[in-house]
Amino acid sequence: MKYETINPKLFKKNRDKLKAMLPADSLVVINANDEQLRTGDQFYPFRQNSDLFYLTGLDQEKCILTLCPGHSNPKLREIVFTLQSNDLINTWQGHKYSKEEVTDISGVEKILWLDDFEMILRDLMSEAGTVYLNQNEYIKLSKEVQSRDDRFASATKEQFPLHQYARLAPIITELRNIKEPEEIALIQKACDITEKAFRRVCGFVKPGVMEYEIEAEMTHEFIRNRATGHAYQPIVGSGNNALVLHYITNNHECKDGDLLLMDFGAEYANYAADCTRTIPVNGKFSPRQKACYEAVLRIQKMATSLFVPGNFVDKVNKEVFKMMEKEMIGLGLFTVDDLKNQDAQKPLYAKYLMHGVTHPIGLDVHDVGSKYTEFKKGMVLTLEPAIYIAEENIGIRIENDIMIDGMPVDLMKNIPREVEEIEGMMRK
Ligand SMILES: [Mn+2]
C-alpha cells in the first residue's frame, strides 16, 4: 500500500464497538470486494469493501472476517480467512499477506487459510442464532452487479434456511458515521494532499490548457503524496461544462474569460476528501463572476455554523436554500415579488441550485448515513453550496469538509477560497 501503516488498535476498537451492539448468539460474516474485470484478463485496481476495511484494515482481495462473539471456543470468536499464496501467485502478482501480516494489520489473532472457511462456517453456524449479513444499502444505488457479500448471503440462506437472518448495514452505518480520532486524522491527510493539488493547479491554469491536463496535475500531486489516487472521478469543467453536475470527460480547452469548476479529492488509506473550488481561467474574476462567487462563498461561511450537534442533513439543506434565495435576489436572478408568488412545488432557487449541499464523507465519498440522522461529535460532512446560471455560462460550487465537534471544524480551512487568495496564487 502507498499509505503509511495504520495502528491496528483502530480496527480492534471498531470490532469491539460492533460486538457491543450485537446479541451474544450472533454471527457476522463480511467478505472482501470482488476484483472487477476491466478487459480480457485485466482487472480494475482493487478497492476493498469499506466495511471490511473499517473492521480489519485489510487491503487485499478474497479475505473474510467472521465475528461470533458468544462461541464456546474463545479462539473462534474472531477469525480472518485469507488467501494462501503459492509460487505461481508470487511470480505473477507478487506478495500476498502471510498470516502474521494479517494479525499485524488487523489485530485479529486467529488467521486461517480460505480453504478452511466452509468447515469452520458450519461450526460457527451451529452456535449462531442470528446471522448478520452485509449489504450495500446506499439509497441512491441501483445495483446490477452482485457483490461477494450478496452472493454469500444468497448461498448461506439456501444452505442454512432455518437460521435467523438480520441486516448488518444499519448497525455498521451507525458506527461508521461517527469517526474515531484516528479516522479524522486520515481524512485530514486526504484533505491536505488535496490542498497541495489545488495549489499546484492554481499555478498551472491559464487560457489554452486542456481540462485533462489539469486532471493530470492533480493525479501527479496525489500519487506522489501517497494517495491511492482520486477518491472519485474528478470533475474538471470549464465554461458551460461546469453546469453538468457529474461532468467527468474533462476533454475541453479552458478558455479566456471562463470559470473553471473542479470537484476533486484525494483518497488516502481508503478515506476520501471531497473538495470543490471554482477559479477564473485567466486568473481574474470578472465583476459579475466575482459577485456570484462571493454570494456562494458568503453562504458557505454562514452555513458552516449549522454543523453542530442536533442538526441534520435535511435541515441544513432547507436552511441553505433559504439563504440562497436572498443571494439570488441580490444577483438579480428573481425578485422579492417573484419569490412571494412562486409555486411551492417548483421553488425558484431550484433553477439555479438543483442538488443538496451536504453529505457524509469517510471511507466512501458519499458515506453511509441518512439525511435525518442527528449530527454528533465525530461526524464529517461536506458543505457544497453552488449556483449554476446557464444563460450566463456561470457554474460555481465551493465545497469543504467539516467535522462535527462542539464548534464546527473545517478540515479544508487551508485550501484557499477567497477571491484575492485565488487571484494571487494564479498571478505567480
Ligand atoms: Mn465533491
Side-chain angles (χ1 to χ4, degrees):
M1 296 308 129
K2 296 188 182 86
Y3 53 85
E4 288 176 84
T5 310
I6 301 169
N7 192 320
K9 277 183 189 155
L10 169 64
F11 309 114
K12 184 172 185 317
K13 193 157 50 169
N14 292 345
R15 290 194 298 276
D16 288 344
K17 285 189 293 187
L18 172 58
K19 282 186 255 179
M21 291 173 77
L22 295 171
D25 70 340
S26 51
L27 168 63
V28 173
V29 184
I30 303 186
N31 289 269
N33 268 348
D34 279 315
E35 298 159 278
Q36 301 286 345
L37 194 61
R38 186 168 178 273
T39 65
D41 62 351
Q42 300 299 304
F43 293 91
Y44 286 100
F46 178 71
R47 174 53 160 79
Q48 187 56 282
N49 175 348
S50 295
D51 294 324
L52 185 67
F53 186 83
Y54 179 78
L55 296 170
T56 65
L58 296 174
D59 222 339
Q60 187 173 287
E61 71 282 2
K62 294 193 176 88
C63 32
I64 305 171
L65 170 72
T66 62
L67 299 173
C68 192
H71 198 286
S72 310
N73 179 354
K75 288 187 173 157
L76 298 183
R77 289 179 187 167
E78 189 174 88
I79 311 171
V80 167
F81 298 84
T82 188
L83 176 74
Q84 182 170 23
S85 199
N86 56 39
D87 287 346
L88 194 71
I89 293 175
N90 281 332
T91 303
W92 286 85
Q93 298 179 29
H95 181 73
K96 298 288 171 190
Y97 294 148
S98 67
K99 287 184 177 178
E100 294 72 25
E101 282 169 322
V102 172
T103 295
D104 288 346
I105 293 166
S106 65
V108 175
E109 297 292 335
K110 182 78 173 171
I111 314 298
L112 296 170
W113 299 126
L114 270 181
D115 298 343
D116 295 322
F117 180 70
E118 274 198 39
M119 200 182 69
I120 299 287
L121 180 65
R122 295 197 69 81
D123 186 327
L124 302 178
M125 289 300 270
S126 75
E127 297 222 1
T130 306
V131 184
Y132 285 82
L133 296 174
N134 198 28
Q135 264 210 312
N136 179 345
E137 295 190 7
Y138 194 81
I139 57 165
K140 290 184 190 161
L141 176 75
S142 68
K143 193 160 61 171
E144 295 188 349
V145 182
Q146 285 206 318
S147 69
R148 235 164 228 271
D149 273 335
D150 293 332
R151 296 198 302 275
F152 178 78
S154 309
T156 308
K157 287 170 87 170
E158 198 177 300
Q159 220 188 329
F160 302 92
L162 303 181
H163 277 73
Q164 271 197 335
Y165 290 93
R167 292 155 61 211
L168 184 64
I171 304 174
I172 208 147
T173 293
E174 197 179 322
L175 294 175
R176 276 179 52 190
N177 248 312
I178 314 281
K179 275 72 180 174
E180 292 289 341
E182 299 93 322
E183 296 182 274
I184 301 286
L186 296 170
I187 296 173
Q188 182 68 66
K189 177 87 180 170
C191 293
D192 294 346
I193 297 172
T194 304
E195 176 195 344
K196 288 187 179 180
F198 180 61
R199 291 182 184 279
R200 183 185 183 96
V201 162
C202 281
F204 176 79
V205 170
K206 58 175 195 268
V209 301
M210 301 299 287
E211 292 163 351
Y212 53 74
E213 292 181 87
I214 299 166
E215 178 181 339
E217 294 294 312
M218 292 170 178
T219 309
H220 178 110
E221 200 63 28
F222 284 176
I223 305 277
R224 71 195 289 253
N225 284 288
R226 290 175 170 259
T228 319
H230 294 267
Y232 51 95
Q233 283 299 109
I235 297 166
V236 184
S238 61
N240 59 7
N241 297 325
L243 302 161
V244 181
L245 297 179
H246 287 165
Y247 173 80
I248 52 170
T249 41
N250 303 345
N251 60 354
H252 287 80
E253 185 185 320
C254 298
K255 300 237 166 67
D256 194 359
D258 277 351
L259 288 172
L260 170 69
L261 184 155
M262 296 171 289
D263 188 337
F264 64 111
E267 183 180 81
Y268 181 79
N270 289 323
Y271 283 85
D274 186 356
C275 177
T276 307
R277 288 292 181 267
T278 307
I279 65 175
V281 167
N282 63 16
K284 189 149 178 59
F285 290 92
S286 73
R288 177 62 175 170
Q289 289 169 345
K290 185 174 168 182
C292 296
Y293 183 88
E294 291 196 317
V296 178
L297 184 57
R298 267 195 300 277
I299 289 178
Q300 198 192 34
K301 288 178 182 171
M302 261 195 293
T304 300
S305 64
L306 298 169
F307 286 75
V308 289
N311 276 348
F312 49 95
V313 164
D314 203 48
K315 187 173 165 192
V316 170
N317 277 333
K318 286 180 180 143
E319 295 279 330
V320 169
F321 295 151
K322 261 189 274 169
M323 296 176 193
M324 212 33 124
E325 284 172 341
K326 284 205 191 84
E327 292 290 354
M328 286 174 178
I329 290 169
L331 291 171
L333 297 177
F334 45 81
T335 65
V336 178
D337 279 345
D338 294 338
L339 190 62
K340 276 187 200 139
N341 300 324
Q342 74 177 353
D343 175 355
Q345 299 304 310
K346 271 187 168 175
L348 292 171
Y349 75 79
K351 183 182 170 195
Y352 305 102
L353 172 56
M354 53 300 269
H355 58 71
V357 297
T358 176
H359 62 80
I361 65 154
L363 285 167
D364 298 354
V365 63
H366 292 165
D367 208 29
V368 291
S370 134
K371 60 181 180 175
Y372 306 108
T373 306
E374 279 196 8
F375 293 167
K376 290 195 193 96
K377 187 174 157 36
M379 285 172 69
V380 183
L381 299 107
T382 68
L383 172 55
E384 48 178 330
I387 221 167
Y388 310 96
I389 313 171
E391 49 276 25
E392 299 183 53
N393 217 21
I394 286 178
I396 296 166
R397 182 161 70 246
I398 312 174
E399 179 176 30
N400 282 28
D401 299 343
I402 311 222
M403 178 181 69
I404 309 288
D405 205 329
M407 293 291 283
V409 179
D410 187 346
L411 303 179
M412 292 187 165
K413 63 177 190 306
N414 297 330
I415 308 183
R417 59 178 176 176
E418 298 293 338
V419 165
E420 300 69 34
E421 284 179 283
I422 290 171
E423 290 183 346
M425 284 197 301
M426 295 185 75
R427 258 197 304 274
K428 272 177 203 157

